[in-house]
């Protein structure tokens, strides 16, 4: 069966045709319904017909227009013949009518004559019946003769009309034969044109192959030039490294000389100190002495130094203060910090900064922790006068409110308990503290605190039932002055204690401006400020800096004085205790030993260091100039070689470039050696005269590719077709892109399977798809499953086509592989013949979006 004969058969079967874009099928209307025509299809912009062995392209619009013109001309000729025949028949009918009219006239005249004769005959018969009878007989004979003549004329007319109809039918048959011959000629012309086009396509393919060969040769030459350039750059880098090593050696030598000078200066100062002690400065407290050394005047204002003084700084002496070594020091530290800065008052310690609320004041808290994992159905109950909340431990995931997942370790389960309280409680919040409160429990604790404060003691308490009750411990702060890490833990009560077990609380209205609280977990001080209506941090991260001295004794930060270590503050005056004798700071605020060493040696050292730095800077400047010259030379060589077509070369890796948007006027060299999957990059938004080249290498062994997609525009490839994205790979290959006013155009490419639309992977059995696959599925033998990629990236596609037209009988199942399809957690079934669907991955909610 030919395509033409199939179309002729379809024309007899249907009265109208259409292409249904929704189903991708060609359909005919038989007068009642639209039916799919399985011998004609629409494939990639071309209508095709089935000739019994393969699909061949149907005539194009131009061919049809030519055929229509020929047929219209033939119709015009037929119409002229028909008009001539009609005119001839009309003329013949007119002649016949004239003959009939003449016959009628003749008969009318004859009748009139007959009537006259009858009248005469009647009169004559009255006279003589015999004569009358003779005349009547004669008249009858005459009339019979006239009727015979009339019948003969009518028979002749019928014969003439029949002959004319026969001629008309002959003419029609001749016209039909002519039209059929014209159709045959048209088909012959179409076949000739098809052969000519196939020959032209063959020539075009030969030209393309030649161009590819030429480009591969050009790439080989370019690669040779690039390798030579890399060698040159490597040599330049080696020279640069040698220069750097030389410079480093010079700097190390200069530093060694500087250190020798510093060591000599330290020795000189130490010798001078020894000399000072030898000239009679008496040991004891508060000794003031003077004398001369080598002709220089010396004045000393302190007696012998004790262990509380640090003289390692040369001729300057500082009081040595040890780090506070007991918890009691924290209170002293807090007191002095705030006294020196704001005059505030230290109050009770709290467990967490979260207990200090700008709206509520201070919220009550209790501690709970685990020595071992709970068993399923163990409980922790939090209760006050109006609310009771029971938290139940469960194996596996939490399915309901107030359930706590057993996490595998006490720390993980405590974290889950704190999260459940924060998610479900209406009266309490919680925090898992892994550090800061680890002196209570090494694996951390859960601090449960009220969401709002109130006056009086808290009624909140914690209890519960455990399979092993001793595995859960609580620290109850009811009746204690403050929260502390030294409070002993007790076993979780198995029944309601009835009375509150949380620690103290305080409403915001009862806070005193400037009162200070130490938060034990964060080890920070918080001070209440009435003006700001907020808690302010005095220590820890974000707190005031350490104090620095200033003119007139201005304090510009926090300072720490510990009376146990010889430092006191009284009425705002700082004092230092030396050998149990209190010495006030003098009016200048300094304790000095006058430096007997002249400034000459110091100035000499400064000069030497400045000279060394100047030399170092000169060397650095020389090296920078050399590197800039080397880079300029390298760029000139690259431009001479035509590397990147004048584009700036950007060397990168698959991991570094993945999912990024490319920049204009760049030649990206992407090393795919460490790639673990295909990667995706984006062309930027359309602008005039952009140019970007993307090249992949080191992917011949792993086969991974680079997808390039566009932003709000089509990507036009060589054959003029528009696509959303292209693939570069799996071999070492490249594509150069340029933008016009509306689209990106792939201008030049070489190597590998470049476009996702070029190669179709044909499958007849189940198959795990890879990103960018174009799959031709043939279910002629049996239905099977195509599984989508397990870890897709937004923008990746998989195209599936029913290439054999059997999907309605043997379905193609598209398995979602853990991702949604069209927003649903269900597989997709292709059950329409010839269906062609592309699945685009969007996000975790939509998953794979099926599009035509």
């Amino acid at each position: 069966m030919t395509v033409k004969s199939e179309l002729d058969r379809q024309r007899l079967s249907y009265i109208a045709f259409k292409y249904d874009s929704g189903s991708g099928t060609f359909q005919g209307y038989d007068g009642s319904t639209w039916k799919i025509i399985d011998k004609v299809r629409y494939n990639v912009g071309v209508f095709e017909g089935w000739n019994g062995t393969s699909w061949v392209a149907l005539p194009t619009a131009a061919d049809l227009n030519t055929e229509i013109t020929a047929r219209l001309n033939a119709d015009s000729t037929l119409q002229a013949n028909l008009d001539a025949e009609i005119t001839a028949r009309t003329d013949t009918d007119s002649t016949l009518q004239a003959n009939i009219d003449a016959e009628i006239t003749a008969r009318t005249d004859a009748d009139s004559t007959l009537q006259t004769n009858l009248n005469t005959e009647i009169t004559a018969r009255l006279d003589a019946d015999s004569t009358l009878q003779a005349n009547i007989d004669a008249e009858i004979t005459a009339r019979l003769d006239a009727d015979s003549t009339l019948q003969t004329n009518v028979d002749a007319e019928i014969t003439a009309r029949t002959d004319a109809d026969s001629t008309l039918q002959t003419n029609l048959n001749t016209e039909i034969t002519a039209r059929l011959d014209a159709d045959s000629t048209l088909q012959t012309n179409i076949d000739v044109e098809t052969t000519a086009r196939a020959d032209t396509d063959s020539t075009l393919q030969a030209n393309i192959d030649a161009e590819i060969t030429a480009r591969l040769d050009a790439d080989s030459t370019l690669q040779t030039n690039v390798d030579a350039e890399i060698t040159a750059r490597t040599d330049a880098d080696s020279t640069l490294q040698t220069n750097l090593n030389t410079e480093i050696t010079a700097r190390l030598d200069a530093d060694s000389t500087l250190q020798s000078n510093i060591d000599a200066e330290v020795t000189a100062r130490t010798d001078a100190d020894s000399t000072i002690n030898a000239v009679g400065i008496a040991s004891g407290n508060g000794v003031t002495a003077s004398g001369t050394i080598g002709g220089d005047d010396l004045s000393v204002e302190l007696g012998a130094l004790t262990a509380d003084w640090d003289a390692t700084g040369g001729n300057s002496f500082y009081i040595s203060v040890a780090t506070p070594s007991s918890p009691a020091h924290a209170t002293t530290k807090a007191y002095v910090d705030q006294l020196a800065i704001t005059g505030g008052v230290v109050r009770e310690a709290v467990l967490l900064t979260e207990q200090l609320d700008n709206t509520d004041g201070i919220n009550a808290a209790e501690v709970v922790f685990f020595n071992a994992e709970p068993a399923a159905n163990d409980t922790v109950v939090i209760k006050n006068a109006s609310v009771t909340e029971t938290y139940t431990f469960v194996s596996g995931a939490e399915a309901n409110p107030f359930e706590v997942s057993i996490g595998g370790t006490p720390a993980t389960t405590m974290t889950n308990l704190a999260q459940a309280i924060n998610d479900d409680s209406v009266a309490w919040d919680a925090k898992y503290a892994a550090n800061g409160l680890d002196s209570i429990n090494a694996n951390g604790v859960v601090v449960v605190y009220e969401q709002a404060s109130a006056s009086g003691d808290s009624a909140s308490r914690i209890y519960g039932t455990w399979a092993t009750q001793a595995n859960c411990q609580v620290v109850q702060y009811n009746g204690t002055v403050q929260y502390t890490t030294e409070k002993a833990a007790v076993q979780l009560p198995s029944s309601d204690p009835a009375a509150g077990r949380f620690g103290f609380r305080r409403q915001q209205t009862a806070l005193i401006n400037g009162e200070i609280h130490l938060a034990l977990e964060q080890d920070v001080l918080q001070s209440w400020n009435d003006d700001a209506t907020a808690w302010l941090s005095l220590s820890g991260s974000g707190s005031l800096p350490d104090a620095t001295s200033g003119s007139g004794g201005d304090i510009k930060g926090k300072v720490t004085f510990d009376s146990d270590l010889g430092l006191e503050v009284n009425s705002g005056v700082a004092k230092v205790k030396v050998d149990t004798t209190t010495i006030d700071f003098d009016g200048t605020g300094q304790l000095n030993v006058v430096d007997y060493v002249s400034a000459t040696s110091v100035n000499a050292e400064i000069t030497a260091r400045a000279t060394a730095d100047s030399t170092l800077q000169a060397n650095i400047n020389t090296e920078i100039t050399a590197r800039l010259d080397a880079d300029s030379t390298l760029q000139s060589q690259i431009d001479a070689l035509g590397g990147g077509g004048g584009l700036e070369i950007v060397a990168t890796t698959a991991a570094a470039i993945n999912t990024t948007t490319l920049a204009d006027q760049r030649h990206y060299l992407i090393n795919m050696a460490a790639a673990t999957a295909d990667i995706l990059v984006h062309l930027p938004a359309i602008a005039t005269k952009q140019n970007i080249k993307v090249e992949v290498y080191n992917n011949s062994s792993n086969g991974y590719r680079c997808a390039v997609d566009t932003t709000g525009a089509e990507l036009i490839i060589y054959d003029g077709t528009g696509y959303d994205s292209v693939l570069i790979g799996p071999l070492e290959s490249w594509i150069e892109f340029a933008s016009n006013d509306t689209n990106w155009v792939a201008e030049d490419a070489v190597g590998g399977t470049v476009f996702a639309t070029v190669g179709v992977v044909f499958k007849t059995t189940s198959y795990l798809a890879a990103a960018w696959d174009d799959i031709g599925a043939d279910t002629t033998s049996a239905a099977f499953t195509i599984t989508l990629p397990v870890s897709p990236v937004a923008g990746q596609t998989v195209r599936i086509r029913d290439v054999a037209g059997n999907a309605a009988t043997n379905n193609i199942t598209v398995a979602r592989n853990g991702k949604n399809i069209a927003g649903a957690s269900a597989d997709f079934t292709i059950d329409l013949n010839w269906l062609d669907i592309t699945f685009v991955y969007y996000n975790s909610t939509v998953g794979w979006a099926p599009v035509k």
Side-chain angles (χ1 to χ4, degrees):
M1 176 183 293
T2 66
V3 174
K4 176 179 180 303
S5 63
E6 173 58 22
L7 287 175
D8 289 340
R9 185 185 69 80
Q10 300 290 359
R11 291 194 188 100
L12 297 176
S13 300
Y14 304 101
I15 61 175
F17 301 89
K18 72 173 183 179
Y19 174 70
D20 184 7
S21 60
S23 64
T25 59
F26 192 75
Q27 299 180 1
Y29 187 73
D30 61 5
S32 60
T33 59
W34 288 97
K35 297 182 178 179
I36 295 174
I37 301 174
D38 57 5
K39 298 298 184 179
V40 178
R41 72 176 185 183
Y42 182 79
N43 183 30
V44 194
V46 178
F47 283 96
E48 296 179 343
W50 181 256
N51 63 7
T53 59
S54 64
W55 291 99
V56 297
L58 296 179
T60 63
D63 297 328
L64 292 176
N65 289 335
T66 301
E67 174 64 14
I68 290 169
T69 300
R71 293 204 176 191
L72 288 175
N73 292 337
D75 285 346
S76 177
T77 301
L78 174 62
Q79 187 62 47
N81 293 335
L82 290 175
D83 292 341
E85 180 63 26
I86 290 169
T87 299
R89 290 201 178 195
T90 301
D91 293 342
T92 302
D93 286 344
S94 176
T95 301
L96 175 62
Q97 188 62 46
N99 292 334
I100 292 172
D101 292 339
E103 181 64 24
I104 291 171
T105 300
R107 289 198 178 196
T108 301
D109 293 341
D111 286 343
S112 175
T113 301
L114 176 62
Q115 188 62 47
T116 300
N117 292 336
L118 286 174
N119 292 337
T120 300
E121 182 65 20
I122 291 169
T123 300
R125 286 197 178 197
L126 291 175
D127 295 333
D129 287 339
S130 177
T131 301
L132 177 59
Q133 187 62 49
N135 290 338
I136 289 171
D137 293 338
E139 182 61 19
I140 290 171
T141 299
R143 289 197 176 196
L144 288 173
D145 292 339
D147 284 343
S148 176
T149 300
L150 177 61
Q151 186 62 49
T152 299
N153 290 337
V154 169
D155 292 339
E157 181 62 22
I158 291 171
T159 298
R161 290 201 177 194
T162 301
D163 292 340
D165 285 344
S166 176
T167 301
L168 176 61
Q169 186 60 50
T170 300
N171 291 337
L172 288 174
N173 292 339
T174 301
E175 180 62 21
I176 290 169
T177 300
R179 289 202 179 194
L180 290 175
D181 291 340
D183 284 347
S184 176
T185 301
L186 174 62
Q187 185 60 49
T188 300
N189 292 337
I190 289 172
D191 294 339
V192 171
E193 179 63 21
T194 300
T195 302
R197 290 199 180 191
D199 293 340
T200 301
D201 286 347
S202 176
T203 302
L204 175 61
Q205 186 60 48
N207 292 338
I208 289 173
D209 293 340
E211 178 65 16
I212 289 172
T213 300
R215 290 199 179 187
L216 287 173
D217 293 341
D219 277 351
S220 177
T221 301
L222 176 61
Q223 187 61 48
T224 300
N225 293 336
V226 169
D227 292 340
E229 182 59 30
I230 290 172
T231 300
R233 287 203 179 192
T234 301
D235 294 341
D237 284 346
S238 177
T239 301
L240 175 61
Q241 188 60 49
T242 301
N243 293 338
L244 286 175
N245 293 340
T246 302
E247 180 60 25
I248 290 169
T249 301
R251 289 199 180 194
L252 290 174
D253 293 340
D255 285 345
S256 177
T257 301
L258 176 60
Q259 188 61 47
S260 297
N261 292 336
I262 291 173
D263 293 339
E265 179 64 21
V266 170
T267 301
R269 292 199 177 194
T270 302
D271 293 341
D273 288 343
S274 176
T275 302
I276 290 173
N277 286 332
V279 297
I281 300 177
S283 62
N285 301 320
V287 175
T288 300
S290 63
T292 60
I293 301 175
D296 292 329
D297 290 335
L298 175 66
S299 176
V300 181
E301 298 176 352
L302 289 178
L305 303 179
T306 69
D308 288 335
W309 291 79
D310 179 2
T312 59
N315 66 312
S316 298
F317 300 89
Y318 302 93
I319 299 172
S320 176
V321 180
T323 302
S325 58
S326 74
H329 295 166
T331 302
T332 304
K333 171 181 181 295
Y335 171 75
V336 175
D337 275 353
Q338 186 64 7
L339 188 64
I341 299 168
T342 65
V345 179
V346 176
R347 303 296 292 271
E348 308 90 339
V350 295
L351 295 169
L352 309 168
T353 56
E354 286 83 356
Q355 289 178 254
L356 306 177
D357 188 275
N358 292 341
T359 301
D360 296 320
I362 303 174
N363 295 324
E366 184 176 344
V367 168
V368 60
F369 63 90
F370 309 156
N371 289 329
E373 282 277 74
N377 297 319
D378 284 356
T379 62
V380 169
V381 182
I382 312 174
K383 183 176 183 178
N384 62 19
S386 59
V387 178
T388 301
E389 296 176 349
T390 301
Y391 295 85
T392 303
F393 295 95
V394 297
S395 299
E398 300 158 358
N400 301 297
F402 301 102
E403 288 185 347
V404 181
S405 177
I406 299 172
T409 66
T412 302
T413 305
M414 284 189 281
T415 301
N416 294 344
L417 174 61
Q419 186 61 52
I421 294 172
N422 291 331
D423 291 343
D424 301 331
S425 180
V426 297
W428 297 276
D429 286 325
K431 179 179 182 180
Y432 170 65
N435 301 307
L437 301 179
D438 49 1
S439 59
I440 299 176
N441 182 50
N443 289 326
V445 300
V446 177
V447 179
V448 182
Y449 55 95
E450 295 177 337
Q451 293 180 356
S453 187
S455 60
D457 294 335
S458 169
S460 295
R461 60 267 193 189
I462 300 175
Y463 62 98
T465 57
W466 282 46
T468 303
Q469 199 72 16
N471 285 345
C472 184
Q473 302 283 308
V474 293
V475 181
Q476 302 169 336
Y477 291 101
N478 57 306
T480 60
V481 175
Q482 65 178 349
Y483 297 93
T484 173
T485 59
E486 298 177 355
K487 184 78 161 61
V490 297
Q491 180 176 294
L492 175 72
S494 60
S495 60
D496 184 3
R501 292 293 185 266
F502 279 39
F504 81 91
R505 60 186 181 181
R506 184 169 298 133
Q507 290 180 290
Q508 186 219 68
T509 54
L511 298 177
I512 300 172
N513 187 40
E515 71 172 72
I516 304 165
H517 297 269
L518 173 66
L520 297 174
E521 188 225 1
Q522 294 90 350
D523 191 24
V524 296
L525 293 169
Q526 298 280 305
S527 175
W528 175 254
N529 186 290
D530 277 344
D531 293 333
T533 318
W535 292 97
L536 304 180
S537 178
L538 300 180
S539 58
S541 176
S543 67
L544 293 171
D546 291 336
T548 58
S549 62
S551 177
D554 182 27
I555 295 176
K556 298 181 179 179
K558 66 178 184 292
V559 293
T560 301
F561 298 89
D562 189 342
S563 60
D564 293 341
L565 300 175
L567 304 175
E568 294 183 355
V569 174
N570 185 13
S571 300
V573 178
K575 297 183 178 182
V576 181
K577 187 178 294 183
V578 181
D579 286 344
T580 72
T581 301
T582 300
I583 302 175
D584 291 332
F585 287 113
D586 64 18
T588 66
Q590 297 181 5
L591 294 173
N592 284 336
V593 175
V594 177
D595 189 356
Y596 72 92
V597 180
S598 69
T600 302
S601 60
V602 175
N603 291 336
E605 181 62 32
I606 292 172
T607 300
R609 289 200 180 195
T611 301
D613 285 346
S614 177
T615 300
L616 175 61
Q617 188 60 49
N619 292 337
I620 291 173
N621 292 340
T622 300
E623 183 61 36
I624 290 172
T625 300
R627 289 199 179 196
L628 289 174
D629 292 341
D631 285 347
S632 177
T633 301
L634 175 62
Q635 189 60 51
S636 298
Q637 292 169 344
I638 290 173
D639 293 341
L641 292 172
L647 304 179
E648 179 182 339
I649 293 179
V650 179
T652 183
T653 64
I657 199 71
N658 191 26
T659 72
T660 63
T661 297
L662 306 179
D664 184 27
Q665 301 301 316
R666 301 291 191 274
H667 178 177
Y668 289 92
L669 296 171
I670 304 174
N671 188 342
M672 301 287 287
T676 58
D678 290 345
I679 64 171
L680 172 66
V681 296
H682 312 286
L683 292 172
I686 286 294
T688 304
K689 295 183 179 179
Q690 291 172 298
N691 190 245
I692 297 172
K693 184 173 182 179
V694 181
E695 182 172 354
V696 298
Y697 65 99
N698 283 344
N699 62 332
S700 297
S701 60
N702 59 35
Y704 290 123
R705 303 164 292 182
C706 174
V708 183
D709 71 2
T710 62
T711 303
E714 275 195 323
L715 182 59
I716 308 301
I717 64 171
Y718 316 114
D719 62 1
T721 306
Y723 296 93
D724 294 327
S725 62
V726 298
L727 278 176
I728 308 176
L731 304 178
E732 295 185 355
S733 47
W734 58 264
I735 301 179
E736 189 162 357
F737 304 92
S739 64
N740 52 33
D741 292 336
T742 57
N743 297 302
W744 281 97
V745 180
E747 290 191 325
D748 209 2
V750 69
T753 301
V754 176
F755 296 101
T757 55
V758 170
V760 179
V761 180
F762 293 101
K763 296 295 175 183
T764 57
T765 59
S766 294
Y767 173 63
L768 174 59
W772 314 113
D773 268 355
D774 187 347
I775 303 166
D778 181 356
T779 59
T780 301
S781 299
F784 60 85
T785 297
I786 295 175
T787 303
L788 294 172
V790 67
S791 300
V793 176
Q796 290 182 335
T797 64
V798 173
R799 183 177 181 180
I800 302 175
R801 323 182 194 192
D802 175 24
V803 295
N806 290 308
T809 303
N810 295 325
N811 298 162
I812 303 168
T813 300
V814 182
R816 64 191 188 91
N817 206 358
K819 304 297 182 183
N820 286 347
I821 297 179
S825 58
D827 293 340
F828 190 92
T829 300
I830 299 176
D831 56 2
L832 291 177
N833 291 338
W834 310 114
L835 198 59
D836 181 347
I837 295 181
T838 297
F839 294 86
V840 181
Y841 188 77
Y842 182 51
N843 57 27
S844 59
T845 302
V846 176
W848 294 94
V851 296
K852 283 292 295 178

